[in-house]
Amino acid sequence: IEWLSFLPLHMKSEGYVIVAGDENGRLLYVSFGTNNDDEVHVVKAHSSSITCGEFFSCLMGVFLVTGSEDGSVVLWELMKGKNGERIKFVQNLLQEDEGITCISLYQEGDK
């Protein structure tokens, strides 16, 4: 595990999400629902180590941005499926020549 983040979904009273990235570019997504529908998903997200990520929410939903040593930044959407939360690729946001080591997002209303 190179990077890990935790998101309580108390805004929806739907449990918790833990997301981790490994040295092989895999994204591990674990959803702990309040209705015992715990799920684990592994997605090949980047071609190299996932070094950082950050959750954000807006009117359109809950999203995750991940960064990697391969220089890519990827946007993911957390979707509510019939068996609980799922993660879905949205788009590549950026491709740099150097590795990405930190992501910080500004949300309107942050001070």
Side-chain angles (χ1 to χ4, degrees), residues 1 3-9 14-21 26-34 36-43 55 62 64 77-79 83-88:
I1 301 291
W3 162 83
L4 181 120
S5 188
F6 170 79
L7 175 69
L9 297 174
E14 294 179 354
Y16 307 92
V17 171
I18 295 175
V19 178
R26 292 180 303 219
L27 187 64
L28 173 67
Y29 173 89
V30 182
S31 173
F32 301 95
T34 55
N36 296 323
D37 286 340
D38 301 345
E39 291 191 31
V40 177
H41 301 280
V42 179
V43 177
F55 289 104
V62 179
L64 170 69
E77 182 178 7
L78 277 61
M79 313 231 355
N83 294 324
E85 295 290 336
R86 299 193 186 281
I87 192 160
K88 174 186 162 192

Short mmCIF file of all heavy atoms in Angstrom, two decimals, residues 1 3-9 14-21 26-34 36-43 55 62 64 77-79 83-88:
data_model
loop_
_atom_site.label_atom_id
_atom_site.label_comp_id
_atom_site.label_asym_id
_atom_site.label_seq_id
_atom_site.Cartn_x
_atom_site.Cartn_y
_atom_site.Cartn_z
N ILE A 1 0.85 -1.18 0.00
CA ILE A 1 0.00 0.00 0.00
C ILE A 1 0.90 1.24 0.00
O ILE A 1 1.73 1.39 0.87
CB ILE A 1 -0.94 0.02 1.23
CG1 ILE A 1 -1.84 -1.21 1.28
CG2 ILE A 1 -1.73 1.31 1.27
CD1 ILE A 1 -2.89 -1.28 0.23
N TRP A 3 -0.65 4.46 -0.62
CA TRP A 3 -1.50 5.57 -0.24
C TRP A 3 -2.85 5.01 0.21
O TRP A 3 -3.32 4.00 -0.31
CB TRP A 3 -1.68 6.50 -1.46
CG TRP A 3 -2.83 7.42 -1.34
CD1 TRP A 3 -2.88 8.60 -0.69
CD2 TRP A 3 -4.14 7.21 -1.88
NE1 TRP A 3 -4.13 9.15 -0.79
CE2 TRP A 3 -4.93 8.30 -1.52
CE3 TRP A 3 -4.74 6.19 -2.63
CZ2 TRP A 3 -6.26 8.43 -1.88
CZ3 TRP A 3 -6.06 6.32 -2.99
CH2 TRP A 3 -6.80 7.43 -2.61
N LEU A 4 -3.49 5.67 1.20
CA LEU A 4 -4.78 5.20 1.73
C LEU A 4 -5.60 6.41 2.15
O LEU A 4 -5.07 7.39 2.66
CB LEU A 4 -4.53 4.29 2.93
CG LEU A 4 -5.78 3.72 3.56
CD1 LEU A 4 -5.74 2.20 3.50
CD2 LEU A 4 -5.89 4.17 4.99
N SER A 5 -6.92 6.33 1.93
CA SER A 5 -7.82 7.40 2.37
C SER A 5 -9.13 6.79 2.84
O SER A 5 -9.55 5.74 2.37
CB SER A 5 -8.08 8.38 1.22
OG SER A 5 -8.80 9.49 1.69
N PHE A 6 -9.78 7.49 3.76
CA PHE A 6 -11.02 7.04 4.39
C PHE A 6 -12.08 8.11 4.18
O PHE A 6 -11.82 9.29 4.33
CB PHE A 6 -10.75 6.84 5.89
CG PHE A 6 -11.97 6.61 6.71
CD1 PHE A 6 -12.57 5.36 6.74
CD2 PHE A 6 -12.51 7.63 7.47
CE1 PHE A 6 -13.70 5.14 7.52
CE2 PHE A 6 -13.63 7.42 8.25
CZ PHE A 6 -14.22 6.17 8.27
N LEU A 7 -13.30 7.68 3.82
CA LEU A 7 -14.40 8.63 3.62
C LEU A 7 -15.64 8.13 4.34
O LEU A 7 -16.21 7.11 3.97
CB LEU A 7 -14.71 8.78 2.13
CG LEU A 7 -15.92 9.65 1.79
CD1 LEU A 7 -15.65 11.11 2.12
CD2 LEU A 7 -16.29 9.50 0.33
N PRO A 8 -16.07 8.82 5.40
CA PRO A 8 -17.36 8.48 6.01
C PRO A 8 -18.48 9.04 5.14
O PRO A 8 -18.43 10.20 4.75
CB PRO A 8 -17.32 9.16 7.37
CG PRO A 8 -16.37 10.29 7.21
CD PRO A 8 -15.39 9.89 6.12
N LEU A 9 -19.45 8.22 4.82
CA LEU A 9 -20.58 8.67 3.99
C LEU A 9 -21.77 9.05 4.87
O LEU A 9 -22.89 8.77 4.55
CB LEU A 9 -20.96 7.58 2.99
CG LEU A 9 -19.88 7.21 1.98
CD1 LEU A 9 -20.32 6.02 1.14
CD2 LEU A 9 -19.57 8.40 1.09
N GLU A 14 -24.82 6.05 4.75
CA GLU A 14 -24.64 4.82 4.00
C GLU A 14 -23.36 4.07 4.34
O GLU A 14 -22.98 3.17 3.62
CB GLU A 14 -24.68 5.11 2.50
CG GLU A 14 -26.04 5.57 2.06
CD GLU A 14 -26.09 5.90 0.59
OE1 GLU A 14 -25.06 5.87 -0.08
OE2 GLU A 14 -27.19 6.18 0.11
N GLY A 15 -22.64 4.45 5.38
CA GLY A 15 -21.46 3.69 5.75
C GLY A 15 -20.17 4.43 5.48
O GLY A 15 -20.09 5.65 5.62
N TYR A 16 -19.15 3.66 5.08
CA TYR A 16 -17.80 4.18 4.94
C TYR A 16 -17.13 3.60 3.69
O TYR A 16 -17.49 2.53 3.24
CB TYR A 16 -16.95 3.80 6.16
CG TYR A 16 -17.59 4.19 7.45
CD1 TYR A 16 -18.42 3.32 8.14
CD2 TYR A 16 -17.38 5.46 7.97
CE1 TYR A 16 -19.02 3.70 9.33
CE2 TYR A 16 -17.98 5.85 9.15
CZ TYR A 16 -18.79 4.96 9.83
OH TYR A 16 -19.38 5.35 10.98
N VAL A 17 -16.14 4.33 3.19
CA VAL A 17 -15.35 3.87 2.05
C VAL A 17 -13.88 4.02 2.42
O VAL A 17 -13.47 5.06 2.95
CB VAL A 17 -15.66 4.70 0.79
CG1 VAL A 17 -14.69 4.36 -0.33
CG2 VAL A 17 -17.09 4.47 0.33
N ILE A 18 -13.09 2.99 2.13
CA ILE A 18 -11.64 3.07 2.24
C ILE A 18 -11.09 2.79 0.86
O ILE A 18 -11.49 1.83 0.20
CB ILE A 18 -11.08 2.04 3.25
CG1 ILE A 18 -11.58 2.36 4.65
CG2 ILE A 18 -9.56 2.03 3.19
CD1 ILE A 18 -11.19 1.33 5.68
N VAL A 19 -10.18 3.67 0.41
CA VAL A 19 -9.54 3.50 -0.89
C VAL A 19 -8.04 3.51 -0.66
O VAL A 19 -7.52 4.34 0.09
CB VAL A 19 -9.95 4.62 -1.86
CG1 VAL A 19 -9.24 4.48 -3.18
CG2 VAL A 19 -11.45 4.63 -2.07
N ALA A 20 -7.35 2.59 -1.31
CA ALA A 20 -5.90 2.51 -1.20
C ALA A 20 -5.30 2.27 -2.58
O ALA A 20 -5.91 1.66 -3.44
CB ALA A 20 -5.50 1.38 -0.26
N GLY A 21 -4.09 2.77 -2.77
CA GLY A 21 -3.36 2.55 -4.01
C GLY A 21 -2.10 1.76 -3.73
O GLY A 21 -1.47 1.96 -2.69
N ARG A 26 -2.69 -0.43 -8.86
CA ARG A 26 -4.05 -0.92 -8.57
C ARG A 26 -4.69 -0.06 -7.49
O ARG A 26 -4.06 0.33 -6.53
CB ARG A 26 -4.00 -2.37 -8.13
CG ARG A 26 -3.59 -3.30 -9.23
CD ARG A 26 -3.55 -4.71 -8.74
NE ARG A 26 -2.63 -4.80 -7.60
CZ ARG A 26 -1.81 -5.80 -7.39
NH1 ARG A 26 -1.78 -6.83 -8.20
NH2 ARG A 26 -1.01 -5.81 -6.34
N LEU A 27 -5.99 0.18 -7.68
CA LEU A 27 -6.79 0.92 -6.72
C LEU A 27 -7.69 -0.08 -6.00
O LEU A 27 -8.48 -0.78 -6.63
CB LEU A 27 -7.63 1.95 -7.48
CG LEU A 27 -8.44 2.95 -6.68
CD1 LEU A 27 -7.53 3.86 -5.87
CD2 LEU A 27 -9.30 3.78 -7.62
N LEU A 28 -7.54 -0.15 -4.69
CA LEU A 28 -8.36 -1.04 -3.85
C LEU A 28 -9.46 -0.20 -3.23
O LEU A 28 -9.19 0.81 -2.58
CB LEU A 28 -7.50 -1.68 -2.76
CG LEU A 28 -8.24 -2.49 -1.72
CD1 LEU A 28 -8.84 -3.74 -2.34
CD2 LEU A 28 -7.33 -2.83 -0.56
N TYR A 29 -10.71 -0.60 -3.45
CA TYR A 29 -11.87 0.13 -3.00
C TYR A 29 -12.69 -0.78 -2.10
O TYR A 29 -13.10 -1.85 -2.53
CB TYR A 29 -12.68 0.55 -4.23
CG TYR A 29 -14.00 1.20 -3.92
CD1 TYR A 29 -14.09 2.56 -3.74
CD2 TYR A 29 -15.16 0.44 -3.83
CE1 TYR A 29 -15.30 3.15 -3.47
CE2 TYR A 29 -16.37 1.03 -3.56
CZ TYR A 29 -16.44 2.39 -3.38
OH TYR A 29 -17.64 2.98 -3.11
N VAL A 30 -12.86 -0.37 -0.84
CA VAL A 30 -13.62 -1.17 0.12
C VAL A 30 -14.76 -0.32 0.65
O VAL A 30 -14.55 0.77 1.16
CB VAL A 30 -12.73 -1.65 1.30
CG1 VAL A 30 -13.52 -2.52 2.25
CG2 VAL A 30 -11.49 -2.36 0.79
N SER A 31 -15.98 -0.84 0.50
CA SER A 31 -17.18 -0.14 0.96
C SER A 31 -17.79 -0.92 2.12
O SER A 31 -18.06 -2.11 2.00
CB SER A 31 -18.19 -0.04 -0.19
OG SER A 31 -19.41 0.47 0.26
N PHE A 32 -17.97 -0.23 3.24
CA PHE A 32 -18.62 -0.83 4.41
C PHE A 32 -19.98 -0.18 4.57
O PHE A 32 -20.08 0.95 5.04
CB PHE A 32 -17.78 -0.58 5.68
CG PHE A 32 -16.40 -1.15 5.60
CD1 PHE A 32 -15.34 -0.35 5.20
CD2 PHE A 32 -16.16 -2.46 5.92
CE1 PHE A 32 -14.06 -0.86 5.12
CE2 PHE A 32 -14.88 -2.98 5.85
CZ PHE A 32 -13.83 -2.18 5.44
N GLY A 33 -21.02 -0.86 4.15
CA GLY A 33 -22.36 -0.31 4.21
C GLY A 33 -23.01 -0.55 5.55
O GLY A 33 -22.64 -1.46 6.29
N THR A 34 -23.98 0.25 5.86
CA THR A 34 -24.71 0.08 7.12
C THR A 34 -25.67 -1.10 7.03
O THR A 34 -26.18 -1.56 8.02
CB THR A 34 -25.49 1.36 7.47
OG1 THR A 34 -26.35 1.68 6.37
CG2 THR A 34 -24.56 2.50 7.77
N ASN A 36 -24.80 -4.12 5.82
CA ASN A 36 -23.98 -5.33 5.70
C ASN A 36 -23.69 -5.73 4.27
O ASN A 36 -23.42 -6.89 3.99
CB ASN A 36 -24.61 -6.51 6.46
CG ASN A 36 -24.68 -6.23 7.94
OD1 ASN A 36 -23.78 -5.62 8.51
ND2 ASN A 36 -25.73 -6.68 8.57
N ASP A 37 -23.73 -4.81 3.32
CA ASP A 37 -23.37 -5.08 1.93
C ASP A 37 -21.94 -4.65 1.67
O ASP A 37 -21.65 -3.87 0.78
CB ASP A 37 -24.31 -4.34 0.97
CG ASP A 37 -25.67 -4.97 0.91
OD1 ASP A 37 -25.79 -6.15 1.29
OD2 ASP A 37 -26.62 -4.29 0.50
N ASP A 38 -20.99 -5.16 2.48
CA ASP A 38 -19.59 -4.80 2.31
C ASP A 38 -19.08 -5.32 0.98
O ASP A 38 -19.40 -6.42 0.55
CB ASP A 38 -18.74 -5.38 3.44
CG ASP A 38 -19.19 -4.89 4.82
OD1 ASP A 38 -19.95 -3.91 4.87
OD2 ASP A 38 -18.78 -5.49 5.81
N GLU A 39 -18.29 -4.48 0.29
CA GLU A 39 -17.77 -4.84 -1.03
C GLU A 39 -16.31 -4.48 -1.13
O GLU A 39 -15.86 -3.50 -0.55
CB GLU A 39 -18.52 -4.08 -2.12
CG GLU A 39 -19.95 -4.51 -2.28
CD GLU A 39 -20.56 -3.92 -3.54
OE1 GLU A 39 -19.82 -3.73 -4.52
OE2 GLU A 39 -21.75 -3.67 -3.53
N VAL A 40 -15.57 -5.28 -1.90
CA VAL A 40 -14.18 -5.00 -2.21
C VAL A 40 -14.01 -5.05 -3.72
O VAL A 40 -14.45 -6.01 -4.37
CB VAL A 40 -13.24 -6.04 -1.55
CG1 VAL A 40 -11.80 -5.77 -1.95
CG2 VAL A 40 -13.40 -6.03 -0.03
N HIS A 41 -13.40 -4.01 -4.29
CA HIS A 41 -13.13 -3.96 -5.72
C HIS A 41 -11.67 -3.60 -5.92
O HIS A 41 -11.12 -2.77 -5.20
CB HIS A 41 -13.99 -2.89 -6.41
CG HIS A 41 -15.45 -3.09 -6.26
ND1 HIS A 41 -16.15 -3.99 -7.04
CD2 HIS A 41 -16.34 -2.56 -5.40
CE1 HIS A 41 -17.42 -3.97 -6.67
NE2 HIS A 41 -17.56 -3.11 -5.69
N VAL A 42 -11.03 -4.21 -6.91
CA VAL A 42 -9.67 -3.86 -7.29
C VAL A 42 -9.70 -3.46 -8.76
O VAL A 42 -10.21 -4.20 -9.60
CB VAL A 42 -8.70 -5.03 -7.07
CG1 VAL A 42 -7.30 -4.64 -7.50
CG2 VAL A 42 -8.70 -5.48 -5.60
N VAL A 43 -9.16 -2.27 -9.06
CA VAL A 43 -9.19 -1.72 -10.40
C VAL A 43 -7.75 -1.37 -10.81
O VAL A 43 -7.02 -0.78 -10.02
CB VAL A 43 -10.05 -0.43 -10.45
CG1 VAL A 43 -10.03 0.19 -11.82
CG2 VAL A 43 -11.46 -0.71 -9.98
N PHE A 55 -10.70 12.73 -1.96
CA PHE A 55 -12.14 12.71 -2.22
C PHE A 55 -12.66 14.14 -2.30
O PHE A 55 -12.13 15.05 -1.66
CB PHE A 55 -12.88 12.02 -1.08
CG PHE A 55 -12.69 10.54 -1.01
CD1 PHE A 55 -11.86 9.98 -0.05
CD2 PHE A 55 -13.36 9.70 -1.89
CE1 PHE A 55 -11.71 8.61 0.03
CE2 PHE A 55 -13.21 8.33 -1.81
CZ PHE A 55 -12.38 7.79 -0.85
N VAL A 62 -20.14 12.11 -5.39
CA VAL A 62 -18.88 11.99 -4.66
C VAL A 62 -17.84 11.46 -5.63
O VAL A 62 -18.07 10.48 -6.34
CB VAL A 62 -19.03 11.05 -3.44
CG1 VAL A 62 -17.70 10.91 -2.71
CG2 VAL A 62 -20.11 11.54 -2.50
N LEU A 64 -13.36 10.91 -6.58
CA LEU A 64 -12.01 10.66 -6.09
C LEU A 64 -11.05 11.03 -7.22
O LEU A 64 -11.29 10.70 -8.38
CB LEU A 64 -11.84 9.18 -5.74
CG LEU A 64 -10.43 8.68 -5.44
CD1 LEU A 64 -9.92 9.27 -4.12
CD2 LEU A 64 -10.40 7.17 -5.39
N GLU A 77 -15.66 8.31 -10.06
CA GLU A 77 -16.94 8.63 -9.43
C GLU A 77 -17.36 7.48 -8.54
O GLU A 77 -17.28 6.32 -8.94
CB GLU A 77 -18.02 8.88 -10.47
CG GLU A 77 -19.36 9.26 -9.86
CD GLU A 77 -20.43 9.57 -10.89
OE1 GLU A 77 -20.18 9.37 -12.10
OE2 GLU A 77 -21.51 10.00 -10.48
N LEU A 78 -17.81 7.78 -7.32
CA LEU A 78 -18.38 6.78 -6.44
C LEU A 78 -19.86 6.70 -6.76
O LEU A 78 -20.58 7.69 -6.65
CB LEU A 78 -18.19 7.15 -4.98
CG LEU A 78 -16.83 6.77 -4.39
CD1 LEU A 78 -15.69 7.45 -5.09
CD2 LEU A 78 -16.81 7.03 -2.91
N MET A 79 -20.31 5.54 -7.20
CA MET A 79 -21.68 5.38 -7.66
C MET A 79 -22.44 4.45 -6.72
O MET A 79 -21.88 3.48 -6.25
CB MET A 79 -21.71 4.81 -9.07
CG MET A 79 -20.76 5.50 -10.00
SD MET A 79 -21.38 6.08 -11.55
CE MET A 79 -23.01 5.58 -11.74
N ASN A 83 -25.93 -3.17 -5.18
CA ASN A 83 -25.26 -3.89 -4.11
C ASN A 83 -24.37 -2.99 -3.28
O ASN A 83 -23.47 -3.45 -2.60
CB ASN A 83 -24.42 -5.03 -4.70
CG ASN A 83 -25.29 -6.08 -5.35
OD1 ASN A 83 -26.38 -6.37 -4.87
ND2 ASN A 83 -24.83 -6.63 -6.45
N GLY A 84 -24.59 -1.70 -3.32
CA GLY A 84 -23.79 -0.78 -2.52
C GLY A 84 -22.97 0.16 -3.39
O GLY A 84 -23.20 0.28 -4.59
N GLU A 85 -22.03 0.84 -2.77
CA GLU A 85 -21.20 1.81 -3.47
C GLU A 85 -20.25 1.11 -4.45
O GLU A 85 -19.74 0.04 -4.18
CB GLU A 85 -20.37 2.62 -2.46
CG GLU A 85 -21.19 3.49 -1.55
CD GLU A 85 -21.82 4.67 -2.27
OE1 GLU A 85 -21.31 5.11 -3.30
OE2 GLU A 85 -22.82 5.18 -1.75
N ARG A 86 -20.00 1.74 -5.57
CA ARG A 86 -19.05 1.24 -6.57
C ARG A 86 -18.21 2.42 -7.07
O ARG A 86 -18.61 3.56 -6.96
CB ARG A 86 -19.77 0.61 -7.74
CG ARG A 86 -20.63 -0.57 -7.36
CD ARG A 86 -21.05 -1.33 -8.61
NE ARG A 86 -21.97 -2.39 -8.29
CZ ARG A 86 -21.63 -3.56 -7.80
NH1 ARG A 86 -20.39 -3.82 -7.53
NH2 ARG A 86 -22.53 -4.49 -7.56
N ILE A 87 -17.08 2.09 -7.66
CA ILE A 87 -16.21 3.13 -8.20
C ILE A 87 -16.18 3.00 -9.72
O ILE A 87 -16.15 1.91 -10.26
CB ILE A 87 -14.81 3.05 -7.59
CG1 ILE A 87 -14.01 4.29 -7.92
CG2 ILE A 87 -14.10 1.79 -7.98
CD1 ILE A 87 -12.85 4.53 -7.00
N LYS A 88 -16.23 4.14 -10.41
CA LYS A 88 -16.31 4.16 -11.88
C LYS A 88 -15.31 5.17 -12.43
O LYS A 88 -15.25 6.31 -11.98
CB LYS A 88 -17.71 4.54 -12.31
CG LYS A 88 -17.89 4.71 -13.80
CD LYS A 88 -19.28 5.24 -14.10
CE LYS A 88 -19.34 5.83 -15.49
NZ LYS A 88 -20.56 6.58 -15.72
#
